[in-house]
Amino acid sequence: MIKGKVINTLLTIVSYFSLLFLTMKASLFGIFETVLLAILGVAVIIFKKPQDKNNLITRLSFLVAAFVALYLSFRFYNYWLTSSKVNFVANILHIPIEILVALTTVVFSTVAVYFIAGVIQQINEIVLYLNREDVFRRDLFIILIASFATVGISQIMIEVPILSMGYFRLFLGVMVVSVFILFIYLIFSEVKFSVILVTLLFVLISTINVYVYSFRDRLLEPVDLLSVATAINVAGNYSLFPVPVFIIIGWLIWVGLIVYIFAVIPKIKNKISVKKRGIVLLNIVLNIVLVLVYTNDLKIQHWRKWGAISNGYILNFVLKFKELYIVKPSDYSEEIIDKVAMEFPLELDNSQLEHEYPHIIVIMNESFSDLSVIGEINTNIEVMPFISSLKEGVVSGYVLTSVYGGNTANSEYEFLTGNTMAWLPPNTVPYQQYIKAPTYSMVSYLKSFYDYHCIAMHPYIANGWERPRTYGHLGFDESLFIEDFPQEHFIREYISDLEMYEKIVEIYEKQHQDTLFIFGVSMQNHGAYNYSGDDFKQAIELVGYEREYPDVEQYLSLVHESDIAIEYLISYFENIDEDVLIVFFGDHQPKIDQSFYEDVLNQDFKTLESIQNKYLAPFFIWANYEIEEKYLECTSLNYLSTYLYEAAGIALPPYNQFLSRLEEKIPAINANGFYSHKSQEFLTFEEASETEKLWLKLYEQLQYNNLFDLKNRNNSLFYVLE
């Protein structure tokens, strides 16, 4: 009996330390630790026999342990196979590193099964004891175990070590899940229902998160819940199969958890007394307070998987809810805004207002970019020969966006309003969250003072990003969506750029007696880039590379089609007697195979400078009349309207006067940082000089007045059409 207890204790201790493999790096100490744990594990396997092989819990514990061990082994193998220190040991032993790591992994995975199964059996013994002694404490213990398992599943699914965030943040993540379970338990007094409901919710969120990461290269965030309609619209263009193996492992562990709970908890409903309800409520309050206190200064991560690595995915996800609320900038006051308004007045005389101004056509082309800004690409033919030929008599260059691979509406927002995503929580979408009433934009300015007839168009489903409502608040007279197009020319089941441009020509021919402002958002180049239907022909091929990148070739072929289409639009307006100005820019770069960046373009994106290259898109401003030629190596979308006004001969509105002054200090800005004129490099906002910080702070205050302080919005700076 004593021997059995000692072995059980040893098994539990070894099981606990085995979890450290999840965060262990392949070091010399790690090698020593692995050998030691393997010896202990083999000893446990020899001396510890399952008490009852036919027992459901025993069989279940080994089944769940097998899947967890599979996950551990996968990480273990990948860590060690690329380790120089392990390679050093393999050379000493005269064993190929692949064989050494494979053999070690087999031993480790076998040991891990017994380790984890032992932990589950120890937990089961505690539950069985509490079943006899105190059912209420049993329920609380099961809630704790279910909360820990849920955090573990969320990490397993995204292929991030369970202990990567450290013990304390792991504890906070468990507390977060337990708060939700306890709340349901408080209402229904049923632990099985409470655990199933809450853990199922988090496992579903974790599953969706895997797909969001694979499609967008970032984790699922609370703000994405507001974009469900848009996600459904485009979901059919992404492949959900084959299901990633770690999703399968995560769900199997969850099923094992639920089966276990049903196996050990009697069907008799447990009645909770008022006193015990008070204990549950106190538990909930204390957990919430502790999480709020200890996460107050916790840095929320947004870049790729860093949120899941540093904080744990669930904790990072829940903390991001507070980013949905905008805090008033420090030292914000109406007096400061009024002072800026006085410094940048709008001075228009009748001769300026009576002057005839050009028709303005703006094309924001979906996912249009020039990947050569990241590195040289060899193709069979030139990707965008026409746009590349636009050198003389145009304003052209590259524009910095705030989004990559998606969230198109944020690029629209920056261009149309002159605001920046830098002062908004990452991955929020102003169209959905903040524009709930008439809002200042270049549309409202052009309509208020120059009597432009303003039309927005997007040849796709109307409810994406809540565009119909938002376009109305921005001041557009008309909004056209897929049902307003003839739907005769598709590329990959999307209305082509060419058809959208033909629609623009049709509108011009019918309504050119009005001065037109047309803002078109194309759809042809939307991801993903694995389409194989008849309505797509691949024109671009990569040349001279060892492996193939079919998604990159499909994307570049789409850009080639866009180049052909824009040539049609410009060729038409070249022969028009009336003045026409065309602005063309990409909204963001595409989400393509990351190995293409690493292997072909030799980029790991570890510096801010290299990261910003992924946020550059080409632009040009062309007119069928003479405009001042300019080349801008890097500007940003919030400044682009200024160049439009100048090319159109339109007086700069006060906000753009401020932006023009700001641009002298801050030539480009996005959600990642800014380009410093003083330092001649990209900097984070924390690295700004004192002068730069003053200008950035003033910009933030003006944007807050424009977007959030509606009661005190300065009408001299921000013209709004009621």
Side-chain angles (χ1 to χ4, degrees), residues 124 154 219 471 520 671 697:
N124 181 58
S154 70
L219 301 176
Y471 284 160
K697 186 175 183 180

Side-chain angles (χ1 to χ4, degrees), residues 79 86 165 221 237 264 270 370 417 445 465 486 537 550-551 592 594 598-599 702-703 708:
Y79 272 145
V86 175
M165 76 290 290
E221 302 190 353
N237 303 298
V264 298
N270 176 35
D370 178 6
T417 65
Y445 176 67
W465 305 124
K537 294 181 180 179
D551 64 327
I592 55 176
Q594 292 302 298
E598 298 166 1
D599 300 339
L702 288 174
Q703 180 166 313
F708 299 109

Side-chain angles (χ1 to χ4, degrees), residues 691-706:
T691 300
E692 289 167 339
K693 285 181 179 177
L694 288 174
W695 278 97
L696 290 168
K697 186 175 183 180
L698 185 56
Y699 187 18
E700 183 182 11
Q701 291 174 329
L702 288 174
Q703 180 166 313
Y704 183 86
N705 180 264
N706 178 5

Side-chain angles (χ1 to χ4, degrees), residues 70-85:
L70 177 64
Y71 166 71
L72 293 170
S73 301
F74 179 84
R75 296 202 60 81
F76 179 86
Y77 184 83
N78 283 300
Y79 272 145
W80 283 50
L81 194 61
T82 56
S83 168
S84 59
K85 293 184 174 62

Side-chain angles (χ1 to χ4, degrees), residues 371-629:
L371 297 181
S372 68
V373 297
I374 299 175
E376 184 179 354
I377 301 174
N378 298 321
T379 55
N380 57 327
I381 59 174
E382 190 173 354
V383 177
M384 51 180 87
F386 176 74
I387 292 177
S388 299
S389 70
L390 295 175
K391 302 293 185 183
E392 298 180 0
V394 297
V395 180
S396 63
Y398 292 92
V399 64
L400 196 64
T401 72
S402 287
V403 292
Y404 166 76
N407 282 12
T408 292
N410 289 354
S411 292
E412 294 182 50
Y413 165 77
E414 289 189 316
F415 171 75
L416 290 171
T417 65
N419 294 337
T420 175
M421 292 300 299
W423 314 133
L424 297 175
N427 300 315
T428 55
V429 182
Y431 272 23
Q432 294 179 297
Q433 293 163 258
Y434 308 129
I435 301 180
K436 305 294 185 181
T439 301
Y440 170 80
S441 70
M442 65 184 306
V443 182
S444 60
Y445 176 67
L446 291 173
K447 286 185 64 175
S448 296
F449 296 95
Y450 295 91
D451 198 30
Y452 272 83
H453 183 75
C454 301
I455 302 171
M457 64 167 61
H458 178 53
Y460 201 57
I461 301 169
N463 62 357
W465 305 124
E466 298 187 22
R467 282 189 175 98
R469 173 183 57 78
T470 304
Y471 284 160
H473 289 327
L474 293 174
F476 283 102
D477 298 293
E478 301 177 49
S479 296
L480 308 181
F481 296 99
I482 190 168
E483 61 272 11
D484 300 302
F485 287 78
Q487 302 180 38
E488 295 175 348
H489 187 210
F490 287 84
I491 294 180
R492 299 182 316 138
E493 300 180 355
Y494 290 125
I495 289 178
S496 68
D497 287 3
L498 181 61
E499 181 166 316
M500 190 178 85
Y501 299 158
E502 289 173 342
K503 185 68 175 179
I504 290 173
V505 169
E506 177 188 328
I507 291 171
Y508 169 78
E509 291 178 346
K510 290 180 179 178
Q511 302 184 46
H512 68 89
Q513 65 276 8
D514 298 321
T515 308
L516 296 172
F517 174 79
I518 300 175
F519 178 71
V521 180
S522 71
M523 195 65 190
Q524 170 189 295
N525 300 338
H526 198 286
Y529 308 104
N530 54 3
Y531 184 77
S532 58
D534 295 333
D535 57 348
F536 169 75
K537 294 181 180 179
Q538 183 171 306
I540 302 297
E541 296 178 359
L542 296 173
V543 177
Y545 303 110
E546 292 183 1
R547 57 167 290 193
E548 296 181 351
Y549 301 92
D551 64 327
V552 178
E553 291 181 328
Q554 184 164 128
Y555 170 72
L556 294 175
S557 297
L558 292 168
V559 170
H560 188 69
E561 286 290 335
S562 294
D563 186 75
I564 294 171
I566 195 64
E567 182 177 12
Y568 157 79
L569 187 68
I570 288 179
S571 297
Y572 174 84
F573 284 106
E574 273 182 329
N575 300 311
I576 297 298
D577 293 333
E578 295 179 306
D579 288 348
V580 177
L581 182 75
I582 294 177
V583 180
F584 179 98
F585 63 94
D587 60 343
H588 57 71
Q589 289 192 23
K591 175 66 169 62
I592 55 176
D593 188 344
Q594 292 302 298
S595 63
F596 178 76
Y597 291 114
E598 298 166 1
D599 300 339
V600 175
L601 303 181
N602 297 315
Q603 290 290 336
D604 55 14
F605 303 111
K606 291 183 178 179
T607 66
L608 180 59
E609 187 83 25
S610 62
I611 289 170
Q612 292 289 46
N613 284 336
K614 288 183 75 172
Y615 291 82
L616 286 173
F619 84 94
F620 66 81
I621 300 175
W622 172 93
N624 62 356
Y625 58 91
E626 186 174 343
I627 61 174
E628 182 181 353
E629 181 180 323

Side-chain angles (χ1 to χ4, degrees), residues 327-383:
V327 179
K328 183 185 294 186
S330 60
D331 301 328
Y332 173 81
S333 70
E334 295 174 47
E335 290 75 17
I336 292 176
I337 307 302
D338 292 339
K339 185 177 179 181
V340 174
M342 292 176 64
E343 185 176 351
F344 301 106
L346 178 63
E347 297 177 350
L348 293 174
D349 55 38
N350 290 333
S351 63
Q352 289 176 296
L353 295 176
E354 292 171 359
H355 179 74
E356 290 188 6
Y357 291 93
H359 300 286
I360 299 173
I361 299 169
V362 178
I363 305 298
M364 191 178 82
N365 196 275
E366 170 66 39
S367 299
F368 188 91
S369 70
D370 178 6
L371 297 181
S372 68
V373 297
I374 299 175
E376 184 179 354
I377 301 174
N378 298 321
T379 55
N380 57 327
I381 59 174
E382 190 173 354
V383 177

